């Protein structure tokens, strides 16, 4: 008997129980165990078999840790062929999340049932893959071409009810009692003489699709896919389900799966999958660190950021008090929250009742005394150290002992903020990204004195509100914004050297960034950086005009970005589409001439390297200073906070892929050509490049 697959006979029903914690991933041992049990059960007294899982979920997919290693038999398609060919009827009984190879296992069974709370899906696309064990062929046969394409290309799970609606489930069980429900269902099937229903026997009518359907679908998809290859291969596999007999379709699917499995894109996306889970772990925190109970939260500051943060908690069912300095400011803040929810209702993303439920969880206040009993406060006031310190003094005076006091600052020193309170151990940074209710990243900033308990609780709260958390130590801008400085600086300097805004942004977007750096500045508002520069200059700093002169001139011309209809680009008032503006190009030429910078043709390669090498170089410094725990944490910050393409795996993974010596030598070369001021290689980068190593190897060596 296998250690991960058990078998028992209850009257005439054979129960196969998979037990491979934590998520019943389809490891080699599980595949072999399942194959053996199903083969053996063909000869016993059972009249039908039920396949179910112990623990928190049905099989959550192939074992991703096995990808990239030599294949071990039996393969999943081999096992599923045995299941489908079984002479005894097999019922898959699902709970939790039946995903990827897990759902494909269920699709190879003859009947599928699930408890009402179960979800099923094929999320392979999120790993740069397609379903490789019949998913594309079987879902297309059961749910039809259009539904199959949407399900497999989005990769989002379906509820049991939705899956039943699409013919992907035969039965939603009456309640959450999986075992009893599944046995009763299997008995009913046996008693009613149900036939062995094999999905492969369903035929698809290709004539039902409009002519040119797949070609048109591909065209529309290209925009959505932003350079990712898996969506295109999914269309090919679904097309094969329509045009080829099942056995050939399966071969085609398998070939496409293997092509993707070995692609750099999938390698990068699998890295992100594991890095995301790793980032949630704080290396020096004992696993049994106690957690504080967070039942009621307060947010100080009802601006766009504060309102968005309050929505995150309300969305997770956690009551939240939003504090503003006056009832007018409060009304404005609550108004923005209501408007955001109303837009979601309009777009059909939530019902009116859900909106009301969430709004009821948000209470407004203009009195600090109302925060006396909250468990966690997040300060989200104006980005000014004195104002923030003042807020923390007040919080320290009113909040109960044990309350966690967090700042949503993007730049300020958490230790200095903590020092104005009598409880620095309870203070930390919780840095959300705008719009806070949408962006997935939460940078948790650990102060010198932040306690283990407070850190562990903040990570857990982040997860509760659906965020992906990464830990940063204190430095100016923490991980994300600190790294961004060099990237944004080069975007500006490239303009003076002769590139146009459209060229700079175009190269970044072709690389896979959701938006180029100049378009992002226009979106955020050019006045933000302008004000920050004014403050630095007022404090006596001398700034290099080559890093900001065009941006400042635009602000002084009233071109504040999208909100003003013009910035680096001109924006269509209706569609918000951006257009290049000859006036801006002339302005850039004028500034270059004034600074004595000769303009020249700049290649795509140079733009790409000058944007991304500074990002990687600063990442290396952040690692050597211990600001980030691991290179993977930096990748998570960039993918989830700055829309860096997951298919490139984040800046540090990407650096390893292109080779650290390429980056290092590129930085030295730019130092010679452009001056060393902004082109000093980080010592860690230099050391790893010279020894032929990588960030991943450096990280692994530190772990051992
Ligand atoms: C596939 O199936 C290909 C097939 O089409 C073809 C094959 C031929 N493998 O997320 P959690 C680990 S591709 C290995 O924190 P949750 C995870 O790393 C696969 N390990 O839990 C973590 O480890 P640790 C398609 C896995 O409750 C621990 O389990 N399937 C796998 O928040 C707990 O995970 C997917 O893409 C795996 N497949 O969420 C589903 N899955 O504790 C991927 C998880 O050491 N999985 N681990 O950090 C998920 O989406 C979530 O894990 C799930 C649970 C929703 C299941």
């Amino acid at each position: 008997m296998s250690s991960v697959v058990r078998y028992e006979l209850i009257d005439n029903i054979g129960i196969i129980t998979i037990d491979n914690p934590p998520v019943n991933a389809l490891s080699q041992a599980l595949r072999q165990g399942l194959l053996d049990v199903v083969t053996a059960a063909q000869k016993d007294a059972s009249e039908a078999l039920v396949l179910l899982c112990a623990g928190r979920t049905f099989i959550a997919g192939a074992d991703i840790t096995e990808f990239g290693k030599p294949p071990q038999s039996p393969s999943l398609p081999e096992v599923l062929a045995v299941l489908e060919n079984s002479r005894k009827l097999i019922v898959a009984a699902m709970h939790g999340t039946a995903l990827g190879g897990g759902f494909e296992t269920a699709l190879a069974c003859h009947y599928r049932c699930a408890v009402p709370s179960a979800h099923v899906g094929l999320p392979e696309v999120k790993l740069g893959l397609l379903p490789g064990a019949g998913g594309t062929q079987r879902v297309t046969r059961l749910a039809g071409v259009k539904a199959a394409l949407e399900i497999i290309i989005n990769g989002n799970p379906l509820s049991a009810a939705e899956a039943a609606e699409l013919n992907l489930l035969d039965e939603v069980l009456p309640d959450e009692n999986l075992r009893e429900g599944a046995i009763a269902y299997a008995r009913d099937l046996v008693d009613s003489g149900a036939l062995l229903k094999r999905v492969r026997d369903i035929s698809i009518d290709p004539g039902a699709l409009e002519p040119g359907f797949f070609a048109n679908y591909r065209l529309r998809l290209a925009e959505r896919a932003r350079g990712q290859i898996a969506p295109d291969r999914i269309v090919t596999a679904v097309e094969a389900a329509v045009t080829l007999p099942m056995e050939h379709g399966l071969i085609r699917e398998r070939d496409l799966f293997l092509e993707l499995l070995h692609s750099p894109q999938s390698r990068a996306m699998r890295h992100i999958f594991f890095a995301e889970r790793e980032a949630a772990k704080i290396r020096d925190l004992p696993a049994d660190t106690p957690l504080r109970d967070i039942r009621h939260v307060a947010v100080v500051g009802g601006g766009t950021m504060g309102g968005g943060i309050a929505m995150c908690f309300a969305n997770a069912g956690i009551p939240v008090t939003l504090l503003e300095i006056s009832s007018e400011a409060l009304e404005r803040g609550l108004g923005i929250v209501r408007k955001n929810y109303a837009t979601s209702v309009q777009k059909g993303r939530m019902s009116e009742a859900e909106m009301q439920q969430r709004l009821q969880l948000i209470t407004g206040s203009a009195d600090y005394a109302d925060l006396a009993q909250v468990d966690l406060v997040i300060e989200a006031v104006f980005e000014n150290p004195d104002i923030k310190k003042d807020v923390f003094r007040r919080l320290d005076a009113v909040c109960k002992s044990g309350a966690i006091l967090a700042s949503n600052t993007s730049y300020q020193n958490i230790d200095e903020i903590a020092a104005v309170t009598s409880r620095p151990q309870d203070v930390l940074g919780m840095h959300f990204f705008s719009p806070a209710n949408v962006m997935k990243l939460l940078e948790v900033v650990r102060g010198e004195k932040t306690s283990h308990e407070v850190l562990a609780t903040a990570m857990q709260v982040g997860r509760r509100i659906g965020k992906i958390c990464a830990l940063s130590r204190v430095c100016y801008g923490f991980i994300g914004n600190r790294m961004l400085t060099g990237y944004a600086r080069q975007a500006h300097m490239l303009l003076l050297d002769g590139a146009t805004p459209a060229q700079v942004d175009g190269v970044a977007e072709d690389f896979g960034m959701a938006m180029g750096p100049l378009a992002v500045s226009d979106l955020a508002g050019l006045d933000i950086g302008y004000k920050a520069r004014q403050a630095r200059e007022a404090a006596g700093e001398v700034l290099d005009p080559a890093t900001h002169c065009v941006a400042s001139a635009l602000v002084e011309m009233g071109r504040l970005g999208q909100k003003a209809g013009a910035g680096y680009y001109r924006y269509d008032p209706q569609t918000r589409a951006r257009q290049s503006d000859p006036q801006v190009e002339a302005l850039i030429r004028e500034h270059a001439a004034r600074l004595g910078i000769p303009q020249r043709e700049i290649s795509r390669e140079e733009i790409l390297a000058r944007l991304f090498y500074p990002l990687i170089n600063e990442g290396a410094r952040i690692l050597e200073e211990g600001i980030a725990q691991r290179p993977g944490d930096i990748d998570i910050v960039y993918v989830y906070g700055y829309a860096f393409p997951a298919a490139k795996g984040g800046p540090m993974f990407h650096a390893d892929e292109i080779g650290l010596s390429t980056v290092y030598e590129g930085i030295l070369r730019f130092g010679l050509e452009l001056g060393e001021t902004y082109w000093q290689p980080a010592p860690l980068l230099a050391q790893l490049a010279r020894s032929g190593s990588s960030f991943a190897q450096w990280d692994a060596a530190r772990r051992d």
Side-chain angles (χ1 to χ4, degrees):
M1 174 87 58
S2 151
S3 61
V4 288
V5 187
R6 297 191 293 271
Y7 183 73
E8 67 196 297
L9 197 56
I10 298 190
D11 303 328
N12 59 340
I13 307 292
I15 315 286
I16 305 169
T17 305
I18 291 175
D19 191 359
N20 188 26
V23 297
N24 290 311
L26 285 153
S27 63
Q28 189 279 337
L30 198 166
R31 299 193 300 272
Q32 187 66 57
L34 187 54
L35 183 74
D36 294 346
V37 165
V38 172
T39 307
Q42 303 299 314
K43 301 186 197 105
D44 70 12
S46 60
E47 289 183 75
L49 306 172
V50 168
L51 172 62
L52 50 76
C53 290
R56 65 198 214 215
T57 181
F58 191 76
I59 306 166
D63 185 340
I64 306 167
T65 59
E66 285 184 359
F67 291 165
K69 297 183 185 156
Q72 297 176 59
S73 87
S75 71
L76 186 58
E78 279 162 8
V79 178
L80 299 194
V82 171
L83 258 67
E84 192 167 49
N85 288 331
S86 162
R87 284 176 293 104
K88 291 188 183 170
L89 179 153
I90 309 182
V91 178
M94 293 172 271
H95 75 297
T97 41
L99 300 177
F103 187 46
E104 289 177 295
T105 302
L107 290 167
C109 295
H110 308 110
Y111 290 86
R112 282 158 291 285
C113 66
V115 296
S117 65
H119 284 79
V120 306
L122 295 171
E124 284 87 343
V125 70
K126 297 183 183 177
L127 298 169
L129 296 170
L130 54 71
T136 62
Q137 308 302 296
R138 292 194 177 94
V139 168
T140 307
R141 281 175 167 73
L142 284 168
V145 171
K146 290 179 188 169
L149 283 170
E150 283 316 297
I151 292 167
I152 308 172
I153 288 174
N154 288 333
N156 295 329
L158 303 168
S159 66
E162 288 165 335
E165 185 80 13
L166 287 166
N167 210 18
L168 295 169
L169 272 189
D170 300 291
E171 181 83 359
V172 179
L173 297 173
D175 55 37
E176 295 298 316
N177 196 335
L178 175 75
R179 193 180 150 94
E180 299 309 313
I183 294 174
Y185 177 55
R187 275 214 179 100
D188 282 352
L189 289 170
V190 171
D191 293 348
S192 62
L195 301 173
L196 289 180
K197 262 195 340 183
R198 294 190 173 99
V199 179
R200 68 172 182 225
D201 296 334
I202 301 172
S203 57
I204 304 176
D205 174 15
L209 289 171
E210 54 266 32
F213 171 82
F214 285 105
N216 290 335
Y217 193 91
R218 273 204 174 80
L219 275 182
R220 288 199 306 275
L221 184 67
E223 254 176 62
R224 238 167 89 189
R226 284 209 292 128
Q228 288 186 34
I229 50 177
D232 172 78
R233 303 303 188 271
I234 290 169
V235 182
T236 307
V238 170
E239 193 171 6
V242 179
T243 54
L244 301 177
M246 181 79 175
E247 65 212 90
H248 293 136
L250 286 175
I251 295 170
R252 186 87 185 94
E253 178 197 75
R254 187 77 185 155
D255 289 346
L256 292 164
F257 173 78
L258 291 175
E259 177 206 332
L260 292 175
L261 186 64
H262 297 115
S263 69
Q265 289 196 353
S266 175
R267 226 180 14 249
M269 292 169 91
R270 273 149 32 210
H271 158 73
I272 289 298
F273 177 84
F274 288 113
E276 178 183 323
R277 282 150 183 85
E278 186 89 353
K281 296 170 192 154
I282 302 180
R283 274 193 175 146
D284 61 329
L285 243 60
D288 58 355
T289 304
L291 295 171
R292 292 191 191 165
D293 204 9
I294 305 296
R295 295 205 194 145
H296 196 129
V297 175
V299 176
V300 181
T304 315
M305 206 61 198
I309 297 172
M311 288 172 74
C312 293
F313 287 96
N315 293 347
I318 303 171
V320 51
T321 302
L322 188 63
L323 185 98
E324 256 296 352
I325 40 170
S326 65
S327 47
E328 297 80 57
L330 185 62
E331 208 25 64
R332 219 176 309 127
L334 289 172
I336 297 173
V337 170
R338 279 190 215 106
K339 203 171 137 213
N340 285 344
Y341 276 132
T343 310
S344 296
V345 172
Q346 251 168 28
K347 291 189 174 163
R349 291 199 201 114
M350 101 180 26
S351 68
E352 180 78 28
E354 278 168 327
M355 170 174 90
Q356 290 308 336
Q357 236 169 27
R358 291 175 200 205
L359 282 171
Q360 269 164 21
L361 287 169
I362 305 179
T363 340
S365 167
D367 184 356
Y368 271 86
D370 288 340
L371 308 191
Q373 291 309 316
V374 300
D375 306 300
L376 163 69
V377 187
I378 299 175
E379 164 277 311
V381 301
F382 189 65
E383 195 62 45
N384 171 306
D386 296 330
I387 300 178
K388 288 193 187 280
K389 283 179 193 161
D390 190 46
V391 169
F392 274 77
R393 277 190 204 97
R394 285 161 172 245
L395 293 175
D396 191 29
V398 299
C399 291
K400 69 178 180 189
S401 146
I404 297 178
L405 310 183
S407 172
N408 172 53
T409 178
S410 315
Y411 290 98
Q412 307 305 325
N413 187 318
I414 295 295
D415 293 327
E416 289 174 12
I417 293 176
V420 305
T421 72
S422 61
R423 41 175 131 180
Q425 74 284 355
D426 292 336
V427 177
L428 85 169
M430 288 177 79
H431 180 210
F432 290 75
F433 287 70
S434 189
N437 53 314
V438 177
M439 295 296 285
K440 295 286 275 179
L441 181 67
L442 178 65
E443 251 181 341
V444 173
V445 186
R446 177 181 198 167
E448 203 56 56
K449 298 199 173 140
T450 312
S451 76
H452 283 181
E453 216 174 288
V454 167
L455 274 178
T457 306
M459 293 303 251
Q460 193 229 21
V461 166
R463 214 178 141 114
R464 255 174 91 193
I465 59 172
K467 299 294 176 202
I468 292 164
C469 302
L471 186 72
S472 173
R473 287 267 188 190
V474 174
C475 67
Y476 186 74
F478 315 124
I479 297 173
N481 283 341
R482 171 170 161 183
M483 284 170 66
L484 202 64
T485 309
Y487 171 78
R489 181 196 292 135
Q490 285 305 315
H492 191 275
M493 295 180 98
L494 279 160
L495 298 180
L496 294 173
D497 286 338
T500 63
Q503 279 169 339
V504 173
D505 284 340
V507 168
E509 286 159 13
D510 286 349
F511 175 80
M513 298 298 287
M515 262 180 152
L518 301 166
V520 167
S521 304
D522 270 359
L523 180 68
L526 294 173
D527 49 327
I528 295 180
Y530 187 80
K531 282 187 199 138
R533 285 192 295 277
Q534 276 183 325
R536 287 166 64 192
E537 281 176 329
E541 233 183 293
V542 181
L543 305 179
D544 175 359
T547 62
H548 65 83
C549 58
V550 175
S552 293
L554 290 171
V555 172
E556 282 155 17
M557 290 159 74
R559 301 182 64 125
L560 306 185
Q562 274 204 28
K563 61 186 167 193
Y568 282 108
Y569 300 93
R570 185 161 289 289
Y571 293 89
D572 184 298
Q574 255 83 53
T575 63
R576 286 203 186 170
R578 71 183 193 219
Q579 291 147 13
S580 296
D581 189 341
Q583 205 189 344
V584 174
E585 285 161 26
L587 181 78
I588 295 169
R589 280 196 296 275
E590 198 183 294
H591 277 272
R594 194 180 304 157
L595 293 172
I597 300 171
Q599 290 214 306
R600 61 190 163 89
E601 191 75 28
I602 310 223
S603 69
R604 296 179 67 79
E605 292 71 31
E606 179 175 340
I607 295 176
L608 195 65
R610 281 177 62 181
L611 289 177
F612 291 102
Y613 290 1
L615 206 61
I616 296 163
N617 199 36
E618 201 59 35
R621 284 188 213 284
I622 279 174
L623 283 176
E624 67 197 9
E625 290 171 22
I627 300 292
Q629 299 191 95
R630 347 170 157 83
D633 289 14
I634 298 180
D635 291 334
I636 289 307
V637 167
Y638 264 79
V639 167
Y640 291 112
Y642 298 84
F644 192 99
K648 294 271 184 356
M652 308 319 272
F653 181 88
H654 177 63
D656 281 351
E657 288 282 288
I658 56 180
L660 296 192
S661 58
T662 307
V663 180
Y664 173 62
E665 282 154 22
I667 290 176
L668 292 181
R669 199 180 58 246
F670 287 133
L672 289 175
E673 290 168 6
L674 307 166
E676 288 181 357
T677 316
Y678 304 117
W679 295 102
Q680 297 279 347
L684 179 65
L685 176 67
Q687 173 208 323
L688 297 177
R690 286 200 206 107
S691 60
S693 186
S694 64
F695 290 124
Q697 283 169 337
W698 173 79
D699 186 44
R702 283 165 68 241
R703 257 183 260 191
D704 295 339

